[in-house]
Amino acid sequence: MLDKIGLPRNLIWGYIGLMFFMIGDGIEQAWIVPYLVEEGISVTNSSLLITVYGVSVTIAAWLSGVFVQTLGPRKAMLVGSITFLIGSIGFIGIGMTTLNLGVMLPFYAIRGFGYPMFAYSFLVWINYSAPLDRRSSAAGWFWFMFSLGLSVLGPFYASFTIPVMGHINVLWTGIIFTVVGTILAIIVNKDKIPASEITQFSLGELIKAITILKRPIIALGLVVKTINGFAQYGLLLFLPLYLADFGYSTTEWLRMWSTVFTVAIFANVIFGFLGDKWGWRNTIRWVGGFFYAFVLILVYFTPQFVGHNYFVMTAVLSLCGVAMAGYVPLSALFPLLAPDNKGAAMSILNLGAGLSTFIAPGIVALFFQPFGAGTVIFIYAGFYVLSAILTPFLRTPEEQLEQRSGLSRTG
């Protein structure tokens, strides 16, 4: 049955472990900025914290593909787990208790290094182990588990436990989830990738993850992947503040954001399957690009027309979950853009995911306070239109060769 729904049974414990790990990582995602602002840290400094975190995420995401190709997925994921633990102890135990920005910044950066090294290393693992004709579906299940933990169960758990335990204690409990996830994904999961896919770690292999950007097709793919996460990592920084002007509470926001990703996790599976049937690029372009831009504009104007209406706002925000799932096939398409060096290609894919966490908060830091939520949302919408325009150019070497051959024949 698992094979029929596109979930690789040889990696099932890895998927479950990923979900648990991302619960622990996602506990603070939807409330950290409003909490810090309430405690007296400015929106600018709070956004700076998230931006520095995003820089660390970007570096780890970029390194993950090379680490898997040279160290193997288990060791790469273990590196992620250890750095997450070290960063969490310093950030929670010292930074959050004193609200000392000088302490919070470095330890939150270390914590940020952990989750992409763990999660995206597993995504590379999937691309080595899943059959090609079901790779989009397998990637859909990755994003299902990833989002289920990070953006659904993590915030949902926080919304119920913060009133009882307090913010700091809830953060401590997140470590338990990450330890369980590490055990399941690294130890209980017995799958192995072919030894031929592992190369010796060297400076040359590391450099390939940079020089591969000389290929225009990879550079275009990086732009599309980076745009993919703008709304996911940007909206949670300023949208609760925007909605608060219309009477929406923090608890309502947490539950709305959790609902968005409840929709998204199922949409991930649907569009992973649809991508294998309808076409990877069609799904990315129309659902992930054009539709997402439309939805963001709708999100901005809805509270202005309906005011404080929890159910209407939740329904509109849920469309973001549908739109973001349109990018699922990109995880299957990307390594085929450079079949001679899949590890480096996956590093660039993961780099794009990391850049989202850096650039999206950067846009908020630059434009939200002086210009307001509308400007930020329209900037994001413009980028999604750009990604839709670029997607048709993401063709594999074989497709490019066929296209050139066809042009020469017609010429």
Side-chain angles (χ1 to χ4, degrees), residues 24-29 31-32 35 84 88 91-93 96 108 111 157-158 161-162 165-177:
D25 178 74
I27 282 177
E28 85 275 10
Q29 295 291 318
W31 57 261
I32 187 70
Y35 172 77
F84 182 88
S88 296
F91 176 70
I92 304 168
M96 287 290 286
Y108 203 44
R111 177 180 166 102
Y157 168 79
T161 54
I162 285 175
M165 303 172 61
H167 294 82
I168 305 299
N169 288 330
V170 168
L171 279 174
W172 281 120
T173 64
I175 294 177
I176 299 172
F177 288 100

Side-chain angles (χ1 to χ4, degrees), residues 203-221:
L203 182 60
E205 288 296 326
L206 194 61
I207 291 175
K208 286 180 182 179
I210 301 175
T211 57
I212 197 172
L213 279 171
K214 292 180 179 179
R215 306 183 190 187
I217 200 74
I218 297 296
L220 283 179

Side-chain angles (χ1 to χ4, degrees), residues 313-334:
M313 197 67 225
T314 300
V316 172
L317 272 171
S318 295
L319 295 177
C320 289
V322 175
M324 73 175 65
Y327 284 94
V328 163
L330 189 59
S331 299
L333 174 63
F334 219 96

Side-chain angles (χ1 to χ4, degrees), residues 2 26 28 46 55 72 79 92 130 162 222 238 249 270 292 338 347 349 361:
L2 294 177
E28 85 275 10
S46 298
V55 173
V79 170
I92 304 168
I162 285 175
L222 174 62
F238 71 91
S249 68
I270 293 170
Y292 216 154
S347 282
L349 173 75

